[in-house]
Short mmCIF file of all heavy atoms in Angstrom, two decimals:
data_model
loop_
_atom_site.label_atom_id
_atom_site.label_comp_id
_atom_site.label_asym_id
_atom_site.label_seq_id
_atom_site.Cartn_x
_atom_site.Cartn_y
_atom_site.Cartn_z
N ARG A 1410 2.94 21.73 1.82
CA ARG A 1410 2.09 22.32 2.87
C ARG A 1410 0.67 21.75 2.83
O ARG A 1410 0.03 21.62 3.86
CB ARG A 1410 2.06 23.84 2.74
CG ARG A 1410 3.42 24.47 3.09
CD ARG A 1410 3.43 25.98 2.83
NE ARG A 1410 2.45 26.67 3.65
CZ ARG A 1410 2.66 27.04 4.91
NH1 ARG A 1410 3.82 26.82 5.47
NH2 ARG A 1410 1.71 27.67 5.59
N LEU A 1414 -1.06 19.35 5.88
CA LEU A 1414 -2.26 19.98 6.46
C LEU A 1414 -2.01 21.41 6.94
O LEU A 1414 -2.79 21.94 7.74
CB LEU A 1414 -2.83 19.13 7.60
CG LEU A 1414 -3.17 17.68 7.23
CD1 LEU A 1414 -3.52 16.86 8.47
CD2 LEU A 1414 -4.33 17.64 6.24
N LEU A 1415 -0.93 22.04 6.49
CA LEU A 1415 -0.72 23.45 6.82
C LEU A 1415 -1.54 24.34 5.90
O LEU A 1415 -1.86 25.47 6.24
CB LEU A 1415 0.77 23.82 6.71
CG LEU A 1415 1.68 23.33 7.82
CD1 LEU A 1415 3.13 23.62 7.51
CD2 LEU A 1415 1.29 23.95 9.16
N ARG A 1448 -6.14 14.89 13.57
CA ARG A 1448 -5.11 14.88 14.61
C ARG A 1448 -4.37 13.54 14.61
O ARG A 1448 -3.15 13.49 14.74
CB ARG A 1448 -5.77 15.13 15.98
CG ARG A 1448 -4.77 15.12 17.11
CD ARG A 1448 -5.16 16.08 18.21
NE ARG A 1448 -5.30 17.43 17.69
CZ ARG A 1448 -6.38 18.18 17.86
NH1 ARG A 1448 -7.40 17.70 18.53
NH2 ARG A 1448 -6.42 19.39 17.36
N LYS A 1451 -1.95 13.35 11.77
CA LYS A 1451 -0.74 14.15 11.93
C LYS A 1451 0.41 13.35 12.53
O LYS A 1451 1.57 13.72 12.38
CB LYS A 1451 -1.03 15.38 12.80
CG LYS A 1451 -1.62 16.51 12.00
CD LYS A 1451 -1.90 17.72 12.84
CE LYS A 1451 -2.62 18.77 12.01
NZ LYS A 1451 -3.19 19.82 12.86
N PHE A 1454 2.88 11.58 9.75
CA PHE A 1454 3.92 12.24 8.95
C PHE A 1454 4.70 13.23 9.80
O PHE A 1454 4.22 13.66 10.85
CB PHE A 1454 3.31 12.96 7.74
CG PHE A 1454 2.35 14.05 8.07
CD1 PHE A 1454 2.79 15.30 8.50
CD2 PHE A 1454 0.98 13.85 7.96
CE1 PHE A 1454 1.91 16.31 8.81
CE2 PHE A 1454 0.07 14.86 8.29
CZ PHE A 1454 0.54 16.09 8.70
N LEU A 1456 7.39 16.82 9.37
CA LEU A 1456 7.83 17.85 8.42
C LEU A 1456 9.05 18.55 8.98
O LEU A 1456 9.07 18.95 10.15
CB LEU A 1456 6.70 18.87 8.17
CG LEU A 1456 7.07 20.13 7.38
CD1 LEU A 1456 7.52 19.79 5.96
CD2 LEU A 1456 5.89 21.10 7.34
N PHE A 1458 11.24 21.84 8.45
CA PHE A 1458 11.09 23.15 7.82
C PHE A 1458 12.43 23.70 7.33
O PHE A 1458 13.48 23.38 7.88
CB PHE A 1458 10.53 24.16 8.82
CG PHE A 1458 9.14 23.86 9.32
CD1 PHE A 1458 8.96 23.01 10.41
CD2 PHE A 1458 8.03 24.43 8.72
CE1 PHE A 1458 7.68 22.75 10.90
CE2 PHE A 1458 6.76 24.18 9.20
CZ PHE A 1458 6.58 23.34 10.29
N ASN A 1462 12.51 25.97 12.87
CA ASN A 1462 11.39 26.19 13.78
C ASN A 1462 11.44 25.36 15.05
O ASN A 1462 10.43 24.82 15.49
CB ASN A 1462 10.05 25.94 13.06
CG ASN A 1462 9.82 26.92 11.93
OD1 ASN A 1462 10.44 27.98 11.91
ND2 ASN A 1462 8.98 26.56 11.00
N LEU A 1463 12.63 25.25 15.62
CA LEU A 1463 12.71 24.62 16.94
C LEU A 1463 12.06 25.54 17.96
O LEU A 1463 11.94 26.75 17.73
CB LEU A 1463 14.17 24.37 17.32
CG LEU A 1463 14.90 23.36 16.46
CD1 LEU A 1463 16.35 23.23 16.92
CD2 LEU A 1463 14.21 22.01 16.50
N PHE A 1464 11.65 24.97 19.11
CA PHE A 1464 11.06 25.78 20.16
C PHE A 1464 12.19 26.36 21.00
O PHE A 1464 12.91 25.62 21.68
CB PHE A 1464 10.10 24.95 21.00
CG PHE A 1464 8.99 24.34 20.18
CD1 PHE A 1464 8.64 23.01 20.32
CD2 PHE A 1464 8.30 25.11 19.26
CE1 PHE A 1464 7.62 22.45 19.56
CE2 PHE A 1464 7.28 24.56 18.49
CZ PHE A 1464 6.94 23.23 18.64
N PRO A 1465 12.38 27.70 20.97
CA PRO A 1465 13.59 28.29 21.56
C PRO A 1465 13.65 28.17 23.08
O PRO A 1465 14.74 28.22 23.65
CB PRO A 1465 13.49 29.76 21.14
CG PRO A 1465 12.05 29.99 20.87
CD PRO A 1465 11.50 28.69 20.36
N HIS A 1466 12.49 28.01 23.73
CA HIS A 1466 12.48 27.99 25.19
C HIS A 1466 12.65 26.58 25.75
O HIS A 1466 12.65 26.40 26.96
CB HIS A 1466 11.19 28.61 25.71
CG HIS A 1466 9.94 27.93 25.21
ND1 HIS A 1466 9.68 27.77 23.87
CD2 HIS A 1466 8.90 27.36 25.86
CE1 HIS A 1466 8.52 27.15 23.73
NE2 HIS A 1466 8.03 26.87 24.91
N TYR A 1467 12.75 25.59 24.87
CA TYR A 1467 12.96 24.21 25.30
C TYR A 1467 14.39 23.78 24.99
O TYR A 1467 14.97 24.20 23.97
CB TYR A 1467 12.01 23.26 24.56
CG TYR A 1467 10.58 23.26 25.06
CD1 TYR A 1467 9.59 22.63 24.32
CD2 TYR A 1467 10.22 23.87 26.26
CE1 TYR A 1467 8.27 22.61 24.75
CE2 TYR A 1467 8.90 23.85 26.69
CZ TYR A 1467 7.93 23.22 25.94
OH TYR A 1467 6.64 23.20 26.37
N LYS A 1471 14.12 18.38 25.18
CA LYS A 1471 12.68 18.63 25.35
C LYS A 1471 12.01 18.93 24.01
O LYS A 1471 10.85 18.57 23.80
CB LYS A 1471 12.45 19.77 26.34
CG LYS A 1471 11.01 19.84 26.84
CD LYS A 1471 10.94 20.58 28.16
CE LYS A 1471 9.54 21.06 28.49
NZ LYS A 1471 8.56 20.05 28.77
N ASP A 1475 8.88 16.50 23.68
CA ASP A 1475 7.63 17.11 24.13
C ASP A 1475 6.40 16.63 23.36
O ASP A 1475 5.38 16.32 23.97
CB ASP A 1475 7.71 18.64 24.08
CG ASP A 1475 6.63 19.29 24.91
OD1 ASP A 1475 6.63 19.06 26.13
OD2 ASP A 1475 5.76 19.99 24.36
N ALA A 1476 6.51 16.58 22.03
CA ALA A 1476 5.33 16.17 21.26
C ALA A 1476 4.96 14.70 21.51
O ALA A 1476 3.79 14.40 21.72
CB ALA A 1476 5.54 16.46 19.77
N THR A 1479 3.31 14.89 25.01
CA THR A 1479 2.09 15.69 25.12
C THR A 1479 1.02 15.26 24.13
O THR A 1479 -0.15 15.16 24.46
CB THR A 1479 2.41 17.18 24.85
OG1 THR A 1479 3.56 17.54 25.62
CG2 THR A 1479 1.26 18.07 25.26
N VAL A 1480 1.45 15.04 22.90
CA VAL A 1480 0.48 14.77 21.83
C VAL A 1480 0.13 13.28 21.78
O VAL A 1480 -1.03 12.90 21.72
CB VAL A 1480 1.04 15.24 20.47
CG1 VAL A 1480 0.08 14.88 19.34
CG2 VAL A 1480 1.30 16.74 20.50
N ARG A 1482 1.05 11.03 24.08
CA ARG A 1482 0.91 10.49 25.44
C ARG A 1482 1.64 9.16 25.61
O ARG A 1482 1.14 8.20 26.19
CB ARG A 1482 -0.56 10.31 25.83
CG ARG A 1482 -1.35 11.59 25.68
CD ARG A 1482 -2.62 11.61 26.52
NE ARG A 1482 -3.19 12.95 26.57
CZ ARG A 1482 -2.71 13.93 27.32
NH1 ARG A 1482 -1.69 13.74 28.11
NH2 ARG A 1482 -3.25 15.13 27.28
N TYR A 1508 20.31 24.80 24.50
CA TYR A 1508 19.15 25.45 23.92
C TYR A 1508 19.43 25.71 22.44
O TYR A 1508 20.59 25.87 22.05
CB TYR A 1508 18.84 26.76 24.65
CG TYR A 1508 18.21 26.51 25.99
CD1 TYR A 1508 18.98 26.39 27.14
CD2 TYR A 1508 16.83 26.32 26.09
CE1 TYR A 1508 18.39 26.12 28.36
CE2 TYR A 1508 16.24 26.05 27.31
CZ TYR A 1508 17.02 25.94 28.44
OH TYR A 1508 16.43 25.66 29.64
N CYS A 1510 19.38 28.19 20.57
CA CYS A 1510 20.18 29.36 20.22
C CYS A 1510 21.68 29.12 20.39
O CYS A 1510 22.49 29.89 19.90
CB CYS A 1510 19.76 30.57 21.05
SG CYS A 1510 20.00 30.36 22.83
N ARG A 1524 13.37 15.64 16.07
CA ARG A 1524 12.05 15.97 16.61
C ARG A 1524 10.94 15.35 15.76
O ARG A 1524 9.97 14.79 16.29
CB ARG A 1524 11.87 17.49 16.66
CG ARG A 1524 10.51 17.94 17.15
CD ARG A 1524 10.42 19.44 17.32
NE ARG A 1524 10.35 20.15 16.05
CZ ARG A 1524 10.13 21.45 15.92
NH1 ARG A 1524 9.97 22.20 17.01
NH2 ARG A 1524 10.08 22.03 14.74
N LEU A 1528 8.22 11.20 16.65
CA LEU A 1528 6.79 10.86 16.60
C LEU A 1528 6.55 9.56 15.83
O LEU A 1528 5.41 9.16 15.63
CB LEU A 1528 5.99 12.01 15.97
CG LEU A 1528 5.86 13.27 16.83
CD1 LEU A 1528 5.37 14.46 16.02
CD2 LEU A 1528 4.92 13.04 18.01
N VAL B 1459 5.77 32.91 12.62
CA VAL B 1459 4.68 32.03 12.20
C VAL B 1459 5.13 30.57 12.21
O VAL B 1459 4.35 29.65 12.41
CB VAL B 1459 4.14 32.47 10.82
CG1 VAL B 1459 5.17 32.24 9.74
CG2 VAL B 1459 2.83 31.77 10.51
N GLY B 1460 6.45 30.35 12.03
CA GLY B 1460 6.99 28.99 12.05
C GLY B 1460 6.74 28.26 13.36
O GLY B 1460 6.61 27.04 13.38
N GLN B 1461 6.65 29.01 14.47
CA GLN B 1461 6.38 28.38 15.76
C GLN B 1461 4.96 27.81 15.78
O GLN B 1461 4.73 26.72 16.28
CB GLN B 1461 6.55 29.41 16.89
CG GLN B 1461 7.97 29.88 17.06
CD GLN B 1461 8.86 28.78 17.62
OE1 GLN B 1461 8.56 28.16 18.62
NE2 GLN B 1461 9.96 28.51 16.94
N PHE B 1462 4.02 28.58 15.24
CA PHE B 1462 2.64 28.12 15.17
C PHE B 1462 2.56 26.88 14.27
O PHE B 1462 1.90 25.89 14.58
CB PHE B 1462 1.72 29.20 14.58
CG PHE B 1462 1.60 30.44 15.43
CD1 PHE B 1462 2.62 31.37 15.50
CD2 PHE B 1462 0.45 30.68 16.16
CE1 PHE B 1462 2.51 32.52 16.28
CE2 PHE B 1462 0.32 31.82 16.94
CZ PHE B 1462 1.35 32.74 17.01
N GLU B 1463 3.27 26.95 13.13
CA GLU B 1463 3.20 25.86 12.16
C GLU B 1463 3.87 24.60 12.69
O GLU B 1463 3.37 23.49 12.49
CB GLU B 1463 3.82 26.30 10.83
CG GLU B 1463 2.99 27.37 10.15
CD GLU B 1463 3.48 27.70 8.75
OE1 GLU B 1463 4.64 27.36 8.42
OE2 GLU B 1463 2.70 28.30 7.99
N ALA B 1464 5.01 24.76 13.37
CA ALA B 1464 5.69 23.59 13.92
C ALA B 1464 4.78 22.89 14.93
O ALA B 1464 4.63 21.67 14.90
CB ALA B 1464 7.00 24.00 14.58
N ALA B 1465 4.14 23.68 15.80
CA ALA B 1465 3.25 23.09 16.80
C ALA B 1465 2.09 22.38 16.12
O ALA B 1465 1.68 21.29 16.52
CB ALA B 1465 2.73 24.18 17.74
N GLN B 1466 1.59 23.00 15.06
CA GLN B 1466 0.45 22.42 14.34
C GLN B 1466 0.83 21.09 13.69
O GLN B 1466 0.11 20.10 13.82
CB GLN B 1466 0.02 23.43 13.27
CG GLN B 1466 -1.39 23.26 12.78
CD GLN B 1466 -1.68 24.27 11.67
OE1 GLN B 1466 -1.18 25.40 11.68
NE2 GLN B 1466 -2.47 23.86 10.69
N VAL B 1467 1.99 21.07 13.02
CA VAL B 1467 2.41 19.85 12.33
C VAL B 1467 2.71 18.73 13.33
O VAL B 1467 2.44 17.57 13.07
CB VAL B 1467 3.65 20.13 11.45
CG1 VAL B 1467 4.30 18.84 11.00
CG2 VAL B 1467 3.26 20.96 10.25
N LEU B 1468 3.23 19.10 14.51
CA LEU B 1468 3.55 18.08 15.51
C LEU B 1468 2.29 17.54 16.17
O LEU B 1468 2.37 16.58 16.94
CB LEU B 1468 4.51 18.65 16.56
CG LEU B 1468 5.93 18.92 16.05
CD1 LEU B 1468 6.71 19.76 17.06
CD2 LEU B 1468 6.67 17.63 15.77
N GLY B 1469 1.15 18.16 15.89
CA GLY B 1469 -0.12 17.61 16.36
C GLY B 1469 -0.63 18.19 17.67
O GLY B 1469 -1.61 17.68 18.23
N TYR B 1470 0.00 19.25 18.18
CA TYR B 1470 -0.51 19.88 19.40
C TYR B 1470 -1.92 20.42 19.14
O TYR B 1470 -2.20 20.93 18.06
CB TYR B 1470 0.38 21.07 19.79
CG TYR B 1470 1.75 20.71 20.33
CD1 TYR B 1470 2.84 20.59 19.47
CD2 TYR B 1470 1.95 20.50 21.68
CE1 TYR B 1470 4.09 20.27 19.95
CE2 TYR B 1470 3.19 20.19 22.18
CZ TYR B 1470 4.26 20.07 21.31
OH TYR B 1470 5.50 19.76 21.79
N THR B 1471 -2.79 20.30 20.15
CA THR B 1471 -4.09 20.95 20.05
C THR B 1471 -3.88 22.45 20.20
O THR B 1471 -2.81 22.89 20.61
CB THR B 1471 -5.04 20.49 21.18
OG1 THR B 1471 -4.48 20.89 22.43
CG2 THR B 1471 -5.22 18.98 21.17
N GLY B 1472 -4.91 23.22 19.90
CA GLY B 1472 -4.81 24.67 20.04
C GLY B 1472 -4.40 25.07 21.45
O GLY B 1472 -3.52 25.90 21.64
N GLN B 1474 -2.90 23.21 23.76
CA GLN B 1474 -1.54 22.75 24.06
C GLN B 1474 -0.51 23.68 23.44
O GLN B 1474 0.48 24.05 24.08
CB GLN B 1474 -1.31 21.33 23.52
CG GLN B 1474 -1.99 20.25 24.35
CD GLN B 1474 -1.97 18.91 23.64
OE1 GLN B 1474 -1.77 18.83 22.43
NE2 GLN B 1474 -2.18 17.84 24.40
N ARG B 1478 1.96 25.64 25.90
CA ARG B 1478 3.33 25.12 25.97
C ARG B 1478 4.31 25.87 25.08
O ARG B 1478 5.47 26.03 25.43
CB ARG B 1478 3.34 23.63 25.58
CG ARG B 1478 2.41 22.78 26.42
CD ARG B 1478 2.55 21.31 26.06
NE ARG B 1478 3.83 20.78 26.46
CZ ARG B 1478 4.11 20.38 27.69
NH1 ARG B 1478 3.20 20.45 28.62
NH2 ARG B 1478 5.30 19.91 27.97
N ILE B 1479 3.85 26.29 23.92
CA ILE B 1479 4.79 26.87 22.95
C ILE B 1479 4.66 28.39 22.87
O ILE B 1479 5.67 29.10 22.91
CB ILE B 1479 4.52 26.27 21.54
CG1 ILE B 1479 4.46 24.74 21.60
CG2 ILE B 1479 5.56 26.75 20.54
CD1 ILE B 1479 5.70 24.06 22.11
N LEU B 1480 3.44 28.90 22.77
CA LEU B 1480 3.28 30.32 22.46
C LEU B 1480 3.29 31.20 23.70
O LEU B 1480 3.99 32.21 23.74
CB LEU B 1480 1.99 30.51 21.65
CG LEU B 1480 1.95 29.63 20.39
CD1 LEU B 1480 0.59 29.65 19.74
CD2 LEU B 1480 3.02 30.08 19.40
N PRO B 1482 4.69 30.90 26.74
CA PRO B 1482 6.00 31.20 27.34
C PRO B 1482 6.81 32.19 26.51
O PRO B 1482 7.50 33.05 27.06
CB PRO B 1482 6.70 29.83 27.37
CG PRO B 1482 5.61 28.83 27.26
CD PRO B 1482 4.50 29.47 26.48
N GLN B 1483 6.72 32.07 25.19
CA GLN B 1483 7.48 33.00 24.34
C GLN B 1483 6.86 34.39 24.38
O GLN B 1483 7.56 35.40 24.30
CB GLN B 1483 7.53 32.47 22.90
CG GLN B 1483 8.29 31.17 22.79
CD GLN B 1483 8.49 30.75 21.35
OE1 GLN B 1483 9.04 31.48 20.54
NE2 GLN B 1483 8.03 29.56 21.01
N TYR B 1560 17.36 32.86 29.35
CA TYR B 1560 18.23 31.72 29.08
C TYR B 1560 18.19 31.26 27.64
O TYR B 1560 18.95 30.42 27.22
CB TYR B 1560 17.87 30.55 30.02
CG TYR B 1560 16.47 30.01 29.84
CD1 TYR B 1560 16.20 29.06 28.87
CD2 TYR B 1560 15.42 30.48 30.61
CE1 TYR B 1560 14.93 28.58 28.69
CE2 TYR B 1560 14.14 30.00 30.44
CZ TYR B 1560 13.89 29.05 29.48
OH TYR B 1560 12.63 28.59 29.29
N TYR B 1561 17.27 31.80 26.87
CA TYR B 1561 17.26 31.47 25.44
C TYR B 1561 17.09 32.75 24.64
O TYR B 1561 16.75 33.78 25.20
CB TYR B 1561 16.15 30.48 25.10
CG TYR B 1561 14.76 31.04 25.21
CD1 TYR B 1561 14.15 31.68 24.13
CD2 TYR B 1561 14.03 30.94 26.38
CE1 TYR B 1561 12.88 32.18 24.22
CE2 TYR B 1561 12.75 31.45 26.48
CZ TYR B 1561 12.18 32.07 25.39
OH TYR B 1561 10.92 32.58 25.49
N GLN B 1562 17.35 32.62 23.34
CA GLN B 1562 17.23 33.82 22.51
C GLN B 1562 15.94 33.79 21.72
O GLN B 1562 15.50 32.75 21.30
CB GLN B 1562 18.39 33.89 21.53
CG GLN B 1562 19.36 34.99 21.88
CD GLN B 1562 20.70 34.78 21.22
OE1 GLN B 1562 20.78 34.07 20.23
NE2 GLN B 1562 21.73 35.38 21.76
#
Side-chain angles (χ1 to χ4, degrees):
Chain A
R1410 291 175 62 83
L1414 304 171
L1415 285 173
R1448 180 146 303 126
K1451 277 180 186 167
F1454 61 78
L1456 170 63
F1458 296 86
N1462 296 340
L1463 294 179
F1464 302 133
H1466 58 304
Y1467 283 169
K1471 195 158 162 67
D1475 197 61
T1479 312
V1480 176
R1482 305 202 168 284
Y1508 285 91
C1510 62
R1524 177 174 73 172
L1528 289 166
Chain B
V1459 68
Q1461 294 290 309
F1462 295 75
E1463 292 188 342
Q1466 202 183 326
V1467 167
L1468 290 168
Y1470 289 91
T1471 63
Q1474 285 169 342
R1478 304 184 68 82
I1479 311 300
L1480 305 170
Q1483 296 187 56
Y1560 62 85
Y1561 69 88
Q1562 251 162 21

